[in-house]
Amino acid sequence: MAHRLLAASPEAEEAVRATERILASYGPGPRARRGPGPVPDPGPPPETVLARVCLGRLRARETRRTAPWDPWSSPAPFSPTPAERLVLVLHDDFGVPYENLAPALERAPAALRQTATRARAHQPDALADPTHLTTLA
């Protein structure tokens, strides 16, 4: 998932390592509980954590753009926003339900459906191409 979201191998591997560190901070989980005491927090689902890590990296990319946008230049290829990219990859490519993506993007599932619809309307031909999300740089 990280490779599809970030389209950069070293960055995707670092995102996976960051996700593993975050998930490890929640401890061994409720199955490791022995005896009386409070039930430990199992933490968020792994796809939610990975989505948040990748979303942060995509947003950081947008702030590092060096050239300003020129409205008179030729039309750019499909360049989804980080939220659109996350929804398209995780829902369309990996089948993650909108309800599971909602916590990662801090939006309602209905809002994510609308985000996906808008992204698909921008460039419907791009969705047929497996590299359609690699244009965000």
Side-chain angles (χ1 to χ4, degrees):
M1 279 193 227
H3 286 279
R4 281 289 284 173
L5 286 168
L6 299 172
S9 189
E11 192 175 15
E13 290 170 11
E14 179 55 37
V16 170
R17 284 193 296 273
T19 301
E20 290 170 348
R21 285 191 302 271
I22 292 168
L23 291 173
S25 71
Y26 282 92
R31 291 192 178 110
R33 181 175 168 242
R34 305 262 195 276
V39 176
D41 181 11
E47 64 267 7
T48 301
V49 176
L50 180 64
R52 295 289 297 172
V53 169
C54 291
L55 184 62
R57 291 175 183 275
L58 290 169
R59 286 179 176 158
R61 275 188 201 171
E62 281 200 338
T63 60
R64 289 192 311 249
R65 288 189 180 170
T66 56
W69 178 69
D70 181 9
W72 302 108
S73 65
S74 63
F78 179 53
S79 182
T81 66
E84 289 172 342
R85 184 182 185 103
L86 201 77
V87 171
L88 288 175
V89 170
L90 294 181
H91 181 267
D92 293 358
D93 294 349
F94 291 99
V96 177
Y98 292 115
E99 290 75 21
N100 293 3
L101 292 175
L105 289 167
E106 298 174 346
R107 296 183 187 174
L112 294 183
R113 284 185 195 90
Q114 185 64 37
T115 299
T117 301
R118 282 191 202 123
R120 289 183 200 111
H122 269 126
Q123 189 92 9
D125 297 337
L127 296 176
D129 179 14
T131 61
H132 70 280
L133 297 174
T134 60
T135 59
L136 185 64

